[in-house]
Amino acid sequence: DKEEDGERGEEEEEQVEEPENVLMSSGMVLTDKMMTKYVGDVSDSINHSEEDLLHRALYLASTLAQLTRFGNTPTEMRQCFGEIEASAQHLIPTMVVVPYRVIAERYLHNGELPHSSEPNVVVPVNCIPPSSKVVFLSHTRLEETNNDNSYNIKLKALKQTMENVAKENNIPNTHTYCWIDMACIDQGVWAMYSDIGLSYVYALPIYIALSDVFFYCDHDRASGMDIG
């Protein structure tokens, strides 16, 4: 009987709350709360006037200045991302990250960098283990129509970087995550709501502040040089 009770207890712990109603989604969800803030942002101004841009910049500066209220390290702030979202005066799209597992599988099978339209390639940043490290990838397309080149050199570099970060911090590779624009910015939502797309852009400094490593791929498409 005790064993059965213990098994039932474990099953109950695994249950999670039902998510909020969503408007639409590709790689992530756009919740009712996010949509409410989006409508508020849009109603304040039209056509991205200079005044609107100034307001967004001021809101961003205010949010950045208050991040230390939620923790002194990226790990502590990531765990409070829901509170950061709620306290912001403007829309901050949920920060999601790509697990090492996804990157490693893509590399093993000669695949491409993940895209937000694919299922199960991202997780909310406040749901990852506290010991995890997040790598923020800054890059440009290696080809006009592709984020990487035919040798998947960027995918390889990202995988190696995540493994190096894991080794330096004495954590499993699976406790590393990365932020990649094409996967972590919902491309489907952006296509339908350009203002939300801009909200992702304005949130970039916050996403960077909540990351542990900034990984920059130095590449100039005009010169045709690949990353080394």
Side-chain angles (χ1 to χ4, degrees):
D1 291 340
K2 289 184 178 180
E3 290 182 0
E4 290 180 0
D5 290 340
E7 291 176 359
R8 270 198 298 270
E10 290 179 359
E11 290 177 357
E12 291 176 359
E13 290 179 358
E14 292 177 356
Q15 294 179 353
V16 296
E17 295 181 0
E18 289 296 319
E20 298 180 71
N21 292 331
V22 299
L23 176 68
M24 62 173 295
S25 169
S26 54
M28 56 168 284
V29 296
L30 181 59
T31 65
D32 291 339
K33 289 180 181 178
M34 289 174 64
M35 196 59 189
T36 299
K37 280 197 174 181
Y38 158 68
V39 172
D41 284 351
V42 174
S43 64
D44 286 340
S45 60
I46 301 175
N47 297 328
H48 317 305
S49 66
E50 291 184 7
E51 184 179 357
D52 175 42
L53 295 177
L54 176 60
H55 285 164
R56 292 189 186 214
L58 291 174
Y59 290 153
L60 170 62
S62 174
T63 301
L64 285 171
Q66 297 182 58
L67 282 181
T68 52
R69 289 174 45 205
F70 304 97
N72 296 315
T73 65
T75 297
E76 292 174 350
M77 291 185 284
R78 286 195 295 266
Q79 292 177 321
C80 296
F81 189 82
E83 298 172 46
I84 295 173
E85 274 185 304
S87 66
Q89 295 178 315
H90 60 111
L91 171 63
I92 301 179
T94 301
M95 182 180 182
V96 295
V97 287
V98 180
Y100 170 82
R101 166 187 56 80
V102 174
I103 300 300
E105 289 176 357
R106 296 299 172 92
Y107 179 73
L108 179 64
H109 299 291
N110 197 32
E112 299 179 348
L113 288 165
H115 189 275
S116 69
S117 60
E118 302 174 71
N120 304 319
V121 296
V122 294
V123 295
V125 74
N126 55 339
C127 294
I128 66 178
S131 63
S132 301
K133 297 296 179 182
V134 174
V135 176
F136 185 98
L137 173 63
S138 176
H139 68 118
T140 60
R141 294 178 184 271
L142 291 187
E143 298 176 357
E144 289 299 327
T145 58
N146 190 6
N147 280 305
D148 214 338
N149 64 9
S150 58
Y151 299 101
N152 290 332
I153 192 168
K154 192 181 296 183
L155 179 65
K156 179 180 180 180
L158 180 58
K159 174 177 175 290
Q160 186 174 25
T161 297
M162 296 174 76
E163 291 170 350
N164 290 342
V165 169
K167 184 176 181 180
E168 290 171 1
N169 291 276
N170 195 30
I171 59 175
N173 290 336
T174 52
H175 279 203
T176 60
Y177 297 78
C178 61
W179 189 97
I180 311 171
D181 54 1
M182 292 302 293
C184 300
I185 294 178
D186 193 317
Q187 305 300 318
V189 169
W190 191 330
M192 183 167 287
Y193 299 101
S194 60
D195 290 86
I196 293 182
L198 281 178
S199 295
Y200 280 106
V201 174
Y202 280 96
L204 287 178
I206 297 172
Y207 298 160
I208 293 172
L210 269 58
S211 300
D212 301 283
V213 178
F214 186 86
F215 176 39
Y216 174 62
C217 290
D218 187 9
H219 176 78
D220 180 5
R221 274 185 291 177
S223 69
M225 294 174 59
D226 289 338
I227 55 177

